[in-house]
Amino acid sequence: GPVTTRMADPLRASYEAMPEPRLVAALGDCALGCGILGDAAEIAGPLDALLPVDIRIPGCPPTPQAIADAILTATPPMQL
């Protein structure tokens, strides 16, 4: 969803605290900057303005199938 201006710094801190490898998913139209909240003063902008986005999942809201497909496409298969 959208990232508010008050949550931008905690989001960056959380991202920096995650170990590698890490993936960032922009989930939904608001996170992609094309939702109805895209121009509000309290919104920090699209997620890719704050963090490197690996997965972009459009929709309002995205379907569970779209979320699963995008994550499975972005992650390598597990080695058994």
Side-chain angles (χ1 to χ4, degrees), residues 6-59:
R6 291 183 182 195
M7 287 305 297
D9 287 337
L11 178 64
R12 285 186 196 104
S14 296
Y15 175 79
E16 292 301 323
M18 286 190 295
E20 294 282 351
R22 54 189 173 210
L23 292 174
V24 175
L27 184 60
D29 289 347
C30 290
L32 296 170
C34 54
I36 60 171
L37 299 175
D39 293 331
E42 297 82 18
I43 303 301
L47 184 58
D48 62 3
L50 303 169
L51 298 175
V53 173
D54 303 293
I55 307 169
R56 289 168 176 75
I57 308 171

Side-chain angles (χ1 to χ4, degrees), residues 23 55 68-78:
L23 292 174
I55 307 169
D69 289 345
I71 291 172
L72 289 172
T73 300
T75 56
M78 292 180 62

